[in-house]
Amino acid sequence: EIYAKVTPVATVDSNEAGVNVQADLAVDSLRAVGSDGISETYVSSRINSSFTIGAMTAGTLTVSAGSDNPKASQVAVSSSTTDGVKLLSFSLKAKNTAITVEDLVASFGTSDSLSDVISTVKLMKGSTVLKSKTVSSGTYGTITFDGVDLSIAKDATENYWIAADLKGDSAYADGTTLLASTTTAGWDVSDSDGATVTPSAAAV
């Protein structure tokens, strides 16, 4: 069995969609030497095969709240730091192709000031800290967990969570609220073809 294969160029866009490609084996296009030492040509009639270029199926990244995402609740703090409070749990699912997440963006809001309430926020996978960041002052802000290099196989789902180390309660009052979510903007995500991918939604 002999076959020919082709390697496409790096990008095939909509202009090439529907284009027909044909490969031919012409008459007398094969020469072989038999066991009797006689050289002869073969292929008595043209053989061809064709296929049509289809539009590329881009990768997608589906973001959803995790099954263990915290519900609205109260967090007991003390005069010292309260570490590892789970603020958000979310799942990332790659569809159509594998997905690579280089930068992931989360937003935080509070009724006080973020720098009064939070000392550190962490992007977690299981018990592993993938990236740790500090927050700026203000009632709302975003954090870019950059260079995380998360690889998600095609049709696979990976779970992550965001934890916060909370400061002692001397800088904020009882009843101060805190909210965390992912965003749909600012991420650096690509599929296996190098195309840019935008998260489907935000997990809150």
Side-chain angles (χ1 to χ4, degrees):
E1 215 175 277
I2 298 174
Y3 63 92
K5 67 177 184 178
V6 299
T7 301
V9 296
T11 57
V12 177
D13 60 30
S14 58
N15 292 331
E16 283 77 47
V19 171
N20 182 266
V21 177
Q22 181 169 303
D24 293 300
L25 198 59
V27 175
D28 295 335
S29 59
L30 291 181
R31 178 173 292 277
V33 179
S35 58
D36 55 6
I38 298 176
S39 176
E40 183 60 274
T41 56
Y42 296 89
V43 184
S44 58
S45 59
R46 181 181 294 270
I47 300 171
N48 61 68
S49 180
S50 64
F51 59 92
T52 302
I53 303 297
M56 181 182 70
T57 302
T60 63
L61 180 65
T62 301
V63 181
S64 58
S67 59
D68 59 339
N69 194 38
K71 305 300 181 184
S73 61
Q74 292 183 332
V75 177
V77 297
S78 65
S79 58
S80 59
T81 301
T82 304
D83 294 337
V85 176
K86 181 183 287 188
L87 299 183
L88 177 68
S89 173
F90 58 97
S91 298
L92 303 180
K93 182 174 183 178
K95 294 183 179 180
N96 302 327
T97 75
I99 294 291
T100 300
V101 179
E102 288 294 339
D103 298 346
L104 186 155
V105 183
S107 63
F108 301 87
T110 181
S111 57
D112 194 286
S113 175
L114 290 171
S115 59
D116 286 346
V117 180
I118 299 174
S119 59
T120 308
V121 289
K122 303 169 185 174
L123 177 63
M124 309 285 295
K125 182 170 177 58
S127 60
T128 302
V129 178
L130 301 178
K131 187 71 70 168
S132 179
K133 294 281 187 174
T134 57
V135 297
S136 300
S137 61
T139 58
Y140 174 84
T142 60
I143 293 292
T144 299
F145 296 104
D146 55 314
V148 291
D149 193 26
L150 309 178
S151 296
I152 307 172
K154 177 184 176 182
D155 297 327
T157 300
E158 300 288 348
N159 301 306
Y160 303 92
W161 59 289
I162 292 176
D165 295 339
L166 303 181
K167 292 182 176 180
D169 61 3
S170 60
Y172 54 91
D174 288 348
T176 295
T177 58
L178 186 61
L179 175 72
S181 68
T182 62
T183 68
T184 56
W187 294 46
D188 182 0
V189 185
S190 58
D191 64 15
S192 59
D193 294 308
T196 299
V197 177
T198 301
S200 64
V204 182

